[in-house]
Amino acid sequence: MGVRGRLVRRCARPAGGERGTRAGYADAAQLRALFDEVRPDIIVPEVEAIATGELSDAAARGVQVVPSAEIAAICMDRERLRVLAHEELGCDHAVPSRRV
């Protein structure tokens, strides 16, 4: 059993020394095309500004997204994260500024 990983960056020029890097996937359409080409088994998003809709679509097609696409979307939406922390976890210091 083998594992092949692929690092995808948003910038056009990866940092020196990175091999196996795919660059230039900044929008949802490019990300979808990449997922269709590579057909990953697992996606581990690290970037803060990733197209969470594409992660959800990939998960719906059977790709394992770690953490889940829903958690990635919550983490990128600070207000939604505050609502979750305040209303569901009872963290008083995370009072949302508006209702979501």
Side-chain angles (χ1 to χ4, degrees), residues 44-99:
V44 182
E46 185 272 333
V47 140
E48 290 181 10
I50 194 164
T52 55
E54 291 304 321
L55 292 178
S56 295
D57 290 348
R61 291 191 310 271
V63 177
Q64 183 179 358
V65 180
V66 181
S68 73
E70 180 182 3
I71 294 300
I74 289 171
C75 290
M76 287 180 39
D77 182 345
R78 291 178 188 232
E79 189 63 22
R80 188 171 170 197
L81 189 57
R82 284 186 194 102
V83 168
L84 173 72
H86 180 70
E87 294 179 359
E88 294 187 27
L89 303 177
C91 296
D92 291 334
H93 63 280
V95 178
S97 57
R98 63 175 169 78
R99 297 282 180 201

Side-chain angles (χ1 to χ4, degrees), residues 28-42:
Q30 292 171 327
L31 202 54
R32 166 64 68 105
L34 175 67
F35 291 166
D36 290 344
E37 174 191 339
V38 175
R39 294 179 295 148
D41 295 314
I42 301 172

